[in-house]
Amino acid sequence: MSLLYKSTRNSGKTVTASYAILKGLAEDGGLFVPTEIPRLSVSMDELKDKSYQETAFAVMKEFLTDFTEEELKSCIEKAYDGKFDTEEIAPLVKEGGAYYLELYHGATIAFKDMALSILPHLLTTAARKNQVKNQIVILTATSGDTGKAALAGFADVKGTKIIVFYPKAGVSRFQELQMVTQKGENTSVVAIHGNFDNAQSGVKAMFEDKELAKELDAFGYQFSSANSINIGRLVPQIVYYVYAYAKLLKNGEIAQGEPINVTVPTGNFGNILAAYYAKKMGVPIEKLICASNENKVLYDFFQTGTYDRNRDFVLTTSPSMDILISSNLERLIYLLTGEDDTEDRRMMEELRTKGAYEITDQMKEGLADFAAGYASEDQVKQTIHEMYANTGYVLDPHTAVASSVYGEYFRKTGDTRKTIIASTASPYKFAGSVMEAIDPEGMEADEFKRIDKLRELSRMEIPKAVEQIRNAPILHTRECGIQKMKETVKEILGVS
Ligand SMILES: *Cc1c(COP(=O)(O)O)cnc(C)c1O
């Protein structure tokens, strides 16, 4: 059976999965969604003995139905290999009353690797299937982790170029170093004088710019996206929730069919939406707990039904969640409207013009699958400190946001269901904030001294990704204002 995709802003027109991946964003500015969310066709009993790669195939074949079995398996094999420093790919660690699903064992030590190690393969396969002659230019806005994971995934991939925009003052020192030391003939990195929302809006505007598309086409280029607005990012992220449930079952932590909760540190709403899709596929997930940092626009939305980005943008120690426009929420909104593209368009237009929209009471009922909370900077620090003091386990600040929110949820509701916490980054990626929380006295000024200090204190080895940039030369120094993003892209591509 073949599954098709349509835009959240135009329910009438359908396209194949490979076309949706190739495009990234729909022409009308909407996000591609499947016409229905497929059910898993294998039981958890069968899945519990499967490897990560086998689970990936079982999940992804339901969504990417125009890829052949051979194509899909080849993409999966190339993605989930020795680039990951653990054979399980996504290990589960039981600590402090929850199960931490460690999604940071890939090449760039953040969860973005889970999807971005496969996206380049899906995309080049999709280009072949759709007889695309142009070079694909991957245009990416990053709040810190997507950029590096996408650069690593696309570096020197034939037929592609990648341009990454990151907020100059909005990423950690380590994240910035990871990006500006990126090798690869086809890679470009640009620091913008603005925040992540500016970067993302600028990129989205270029996707919607028909004139620009024409100019690029004349030079043999077309855009695609590595952001989680691309369905090719979202689908691989569903896999690890299925995998984690199956592993809990295999390890005897839960009984067959036992409902669990999932807590996700959230920014652009991609990761938690993948968990929601997993639930719709049949994984027994009860509550999806959406954890925000001090940029708590989503928490307020779940409380009130009003999404309002009119507020100060806070720079926190969890920069990858410093976002006020959570793009993937549009996919949930669309479902809540009963797939009404007119309503979706109306609300997104309000978001664009007024910075806010409100959902109906009926739509609010659809939010019952979710719970939400947020953590202050103090709570994040305290959570990292306490976890380390009590167990020796080290959390990065993003995962600590989720851990703190889950703790509060548990105290408030008394909900004793087993809970998975998506652990989204290695603490080594945020050694400064982590050291500040566990040993402020021993704080070093130099990033790599902090990393070495953290190694002394923690039971976790320093990942390869850290050593790779320790002495790497800086290769990218380009900067631009938020008004100049389009010109910068044209300059990089030599289009004018
Ligand atoms: C991107 C990111 C998040 C947020 O994920 P979304 O899918 O954008 O909600 C959380 N933690 C880390 C470390 C990230 O890189």
Side-chain angles (χ1 to χ4, degrees):
M1 217 195 55
S2 76
L3 181 68
L4 294 173
Y5 290 78
K6 58 186 175 173
S7 163
T8 49
R9 301 187 195 176
N10 179 2
S11 303
K13 188 178 164 218
T14 54
V15 300
T16 59
S18 65
Y19 183 86
I21 290 173
L22 207 48
K23 279 290 186 186
L25 193 68
E27 252 154 40
D28 50 36
L31 274 61
F32 286 114
V33 286
T35 50
E36 63 180 294
I37 296 175
R39 305 281 299 181
L40 277 169
S41 60
V42 274
S43 71
M44 277 297 162
D45 220 30
E46 290 165 84
L47 283 167
K48 75 184 192 324
D49 295 313
K50 288 199 189 299
S51 67
Y52 192 87
Q53 293 80 352
E54 290 164 338
T55 311
F57 180 71
V59 173
M60 292 176 65
K61 77 175 168 61
E62 303 294 341
F63 281 93
L64 309 182
T65 53
D66 71 325
F67 285 67
T68 65
E69 177 170 341
E70 216 178 11
E71 284 168 340
L72 199 50
K73 284 189 169 161
S74 154
C75 290
I76 290 168
E77 257 161 51
K78 287 184 207 147
Y80 304 112
D81 60 5
K83 290 191 287 298
F84 285 78
D85 66 17
T86 157
E87 205 170 310
E88 297 144 284
I89 307 293
L92 262 178
V93 175
K94 188 177 183 179
E95 208 68 80
Y99 300 86
Y100 288 86
L101 178 61
E102 293 184 350
L103 303 173
Y104 57 74
H105 290 278
T108 75
I109 58 176
F111 98 93
K112 303 297 196 293
D113 290 323
M114 301 304 295
L116 283 165
S117 48
I118 194 165
L119 184 66
H121 305 295
L122 295 176
L123 200 82
T124 46
T125 307
R128 211 167 44 238
K129 296 175 85 65
N130 290 272
Q131 276 106 38
V132 170
K133 299 280 182 310
N134 284 338
Q135 280 217 35
I136 311 277
V137 179
I138 306 296
L139 213 52
T140 296
T142 184
S143 57
D145 291 328
T146 293
K148 177 61 184 185
L151 287 162
F154 282 98
D156 292 326
V157 171
K158 273 219 328 248
T160 71
K161 283 188 187 294
I162 171 159
I163 305 174
V164 169
F165 291 95
Y166 74 93
K168 177 72 188 156
V171 300
S172 81
R173 179 65 189 141
F174 187 84
Q175 288 177 314
E176 182 171 39
L177 278 175
Q178 276 190 309
M179 289 187 276
V180 297
T181 57
Q182 177 66 46
K183 294 182 195 143
E185 286 293 315
N186 64 339
T187 64
S188 301
V189 178
V190 186
I192 66 153
H193 306 144
N195 62 34
F196 171 73
D197 287 329
N198 301 134
Q200 176 157 263
S201 300
V203 163
K204 271 191 163 179
M206 281 188 264
F207 276 115
E208 290 169 48
D209 189 332
K210 300 221 163 62
E211 273 305 304
L212 181 60
K214 245 192 247 156
E215 286 177 64
L216 286 179
D217 190 57
F219 282 81
Y221 292 120
Q222 69 187 63
F223 285 142
S224 187
S225 167
N227 282 103
S228 54
I229 53 175
N230 194 322
I231 198 80
R233 266 278 301 273
L234 203 57
V235 170
Q237 291 179 183
I238 302 167
V239 173
Y240 44 79
Y241 292 109
V242 177
Y243 180 72
Y245 187 91
K247 287 297 162 279
L248 285 177
L249 188 61
K250 183 184 168 77
N251 298 342
E253 300 287 344
I254 54 171
Q256 188 81 254
E258 183 177 330
I260 62 162
N261 297 327
V262 171
T263 307
V264 186
T266 298
N268 224 356
F269 209 73
N271 202 0
I272 194 165
L273 187 75
Y276 181 69
Y277 276 28
K279 174 173 178 158
K280 297 262 169 198
M281 287 190 91
V283 180
I285 296 173
E286 190 65 30
K287 282 285 178 200
L288 297 138
I289 304 167
C290 175
S292 299
N293 66 19
E294 287 182 2
N295 293 292
K296 60 182 183 61
V297 62
L298 286 166
Y299 168 77
D300 292 341
F301 168 72
F302 282 110
Q303 293 308 104
T304 64
T306 297
Y307 191 95
D308 187 356
R309 57 160 294 204
N310 298 305
R311 61 183 75 206
D312 289 336
F313 188 101
V314 188
L315 292 176
T316 71
T317 52
S318 45
S320 305
M321 295 157 64
D322 289 346
I323 294 174
L324 292 179
I325 308 173
S326 299
S327 288
N328 274 293
L329 189 64
E330 184 174 346
R331 288 187 164 113
L332 178 66
I333 295 290
Y334 178 70
L335 283 177
L336 296 179
T337 60
E339 314 210 335
D340 182 337
D341 51 358
T342 312
E343 267 298 284
D344 181 279
R345 271 201 310 273
R346 188 185 60 73
M347 283 186 273
M348 294 307 133
E349 188 55 23
E350 286 200 352
L351 179 63
R352 201 178 62 81
T353 53
K354 299 190 198 123
Y357 60 87
E358 191 183 349
I359 63 170
T360 62
D361 286 341
Q362 201 189 346
M363 286 172 70
K364 278 183 207 162
E365 286 168 25
L367 297 181
D369 290 320
F370 293 86
Y374 73 98
S376 69
E377 287 293 275
D378 279 345
Q379 285 173 310
V380 169
K381 202 164 155 181
Q382 196 186 340
T383 302
I384 297 173
H385 183 87
E386 281 173 7
M387 178 64 91
Y388 177 70
N390 295 337
T391 70
Y393 189 59
V394 184
L395 301 174
D396 96 283
H398 303 76
T399 309
V401 167
S403 184
S404 168
V405 165
Y406 169 62
E408 217 166 88
Y409 169 84
F410 178 74
R411 282 188 296 276
K412 243 192 276 170
T413 60
D415 181 348
T416 55
R417 283 185 202 95
K418 308 278 174 19
T419 295
I420 287 174
I421 294 178
S423 180
T424 50
S426 163
Y428 282 109
K429 205 160 185 177
F430 302 93
S433 311
V434 171
M435 283 301 298
E436 190 67 50
I438 63 180
D439 182 20
E441 314 278 270
M443 187 66 173
E444 300 272 359
D446 175 75
E447 181 72 12
F448 286 94
K449 285 206 178 119
R450 288 175 187 160
I451 285 168
D452 292 334
K453 190 86 190 192
L454 183 56
R455 175 65 192 102
E456 286 168 31
L457 296 177
S458 81
R459 60 188 189 215
M460 198 192 299
E461 293 204 24
I462 298 180
K464 276 186 303 213
V466 173
E467 296 306 344
Q468 274 162 9
I469 65 155
R470 197 185 278 267
N471 299 307
I474 287 172
L475 303 174
H476 304 270
T477 53
R478 205 186 282 265
E479 296 186 18
C480 83
I482 55 175
Q483 307 301 339
K484 291 275 158 84
M485 288 172 62
K486 180 166 151 181
E487 278 155 59
T488 305
V489 165
K490 288 167 79 169
E491 196 180 292
I492 289 169
L493 298 175
V495 173
S496 47

